[in-house]
Amino acid sequence: VAVFHGPNRHVEFPSLNGYDVVLTTYSTLANETVTSPLKKIVFLRMVCDEGHSIKNSKSLAHKACCEMECKYRWVLT
């Protein structure tokens, strides 16, 4: 399990390929660029907790979630 969050996330996790589970926040996801380790992985499953946080399709968090490459998306609330 990798907790991809905080100011040192890119130093601690230059690659996330070896992890079965990656935890992060909506704000971290929204602030990541195309070169981020998060954007370089095709995930099997993306689980978004507190789904009401991304219901506004114009929000950065919603757009960031939609940009992630994954086979399945689960939204919980």
Side-chain angles (χ1 to χ4, degrees), residues 30-59:
N31 290 320
E32 291 301 295
T33 63
V34 215
T35 59
S36 168
L38 278 177
K39 304 287 177 112
K40 294 179 181 177
I41 297 176
V42 177
F43 291 94
L44 173 64
R45 183 177 302 111
M46 179 177 178
V47 180
C48 301
D49 194 16
E50 303 296 333
H52 61 275
S53 300
I54 57 170
K55 70 178 184 178
N56 180 356
S57 62
K58 294 180 182 177
S59 72

